[in-house]
Amino acid sequence: KQEVTQIPAALSVPEGENLVLNCSFTDSAIYNLQWFRQDPGKGLTSLLLIQSSQREQTSGRLNASLDKSSGRSTLYIAASQPGDSATYLCAVRVSGNQFYFGTGTSLTVIP
Amino acid sequence: EAGVAQSPRYKIIEKRQSVAFWCNPISGHATLYWYQQILGQGPKLLIQFQNNGVVDDSQLPKDRFSAERLKGVDSTLKIQPAKLEDSAVYLCASLDRRGTGELFFGEGSRLTVL
């Protein structure tokens, strides 16, 4: 069974720092990997989607990479801002259109 | 393009009462999911629909939870009777299965059971 892990569970950085969030999965048979942002009490907002054949995707200050063979993905956030404070979750899509989620990394950016 | 719509956003009920949540997915998305998210955890799948058929409801507590998607568009999730441990955010998502494979979520319905 697929298991998705996110480390660290929480991260606190000063404004302006670049940071990396990690996501690992146990089974490399995935169709894609998606990174989400979740603000307290709200739904998940899609940030980036990486297909299994891709190595990375970029959107603004965000860059996500995927190494399917090693079961790892990273989300790089450049020049962090207080508005980036949220929980970031990753999810993998597998056969049967099933999704497996990590438990998230709670990010706090200190002004 | 309109996103996934959910209502109500918040609901507070006493234990043993009933509650219903509604979801309207993105137009054209045949695959719809209901997830339960407890604070500090990742979403847990309750049920997956493909059009109006159930694909996976293995983790749905069927003695108290029910869900339907009668016309293959909007969906309703019901809890009856509610327990204290049902306090959570109920998330609806729809899948762009024929496009990018991207999963889209609604704003969620936060349930508090007292």
Side-chain angles (χ1 to χ4, degrees), chain A residues 20-84:
Chain A
V20 174
L21 306 180
N22 298 294
C23 171
S24 61
F25 47 96
T26 55
D27 188 339
S28 62
I30 66 170
Y31 290 117
N32 62 39
L33 184 143
Q34 201 167 346
W35 280 95
F36 296 90
R37 169 188 172 133
Q38 186 173 32
D39 293 292
K42 297 211 171 178
L44 281 67
T45 300
S46 180
L47 297 174
L48 288 165
L49 172 72
I50 312 177
Q51 304 295 348
S52 61
S53 59
Q54 297 176 322
R55 296 285 291 183
E56 65 179 84
Q57 280 287 341
T58 298
S59 176
R61 294 183 294 109
L62 306 180
N63 177 279
S65 69
L66 174 64
D67 184 342
K68 201 172 74 161
S69 60
S70 68
R72 293 180 184 175
S73 176
T74 62
L75 179 66
Y76 174 83
I77 303 177
S80 59
Q81 303 171 358
D84 295 330

Side-chain angles (χ1 to χ4, degrees), chain A residues 1 32 34 36 38 40-49 51 89 91 93 96-99 101-104, chain B residues 9-10 31 33 35 37 40-43 48 50 55-56 91 95 97 100-108 110:
Chain A
K1 181 187 171 182
N32 62 39
Q34 201 167 346
F36 296 90
Q38 186 173 32
K42 297 211 171 178
L44 281 67
T45 300
S46 180
L47 297 174
L48 288 165
L49 172 72
Q51 304 295 348
L89 295 96
R93 179 188 176 197
N97 293 318
Q98 295 182 10
F99 289 83
F101 291 83
T103 53
Chain B
R9 286 280 287 120
Y10 305 94
T31 309
Y33 307 81
Y35 290 93
Q37 187 180 29
Q41 298 182 16
Q48 175 185 347
Q50 178 67 28
V55 175
D56 184 356
L91 298 166
L95 175 64
R97 185 170 63 94
T100 61
E102 190 169 1
L103 189 65
F104 295 89
F105 281 85
E107 285 289 318
R110 175 179 291 279

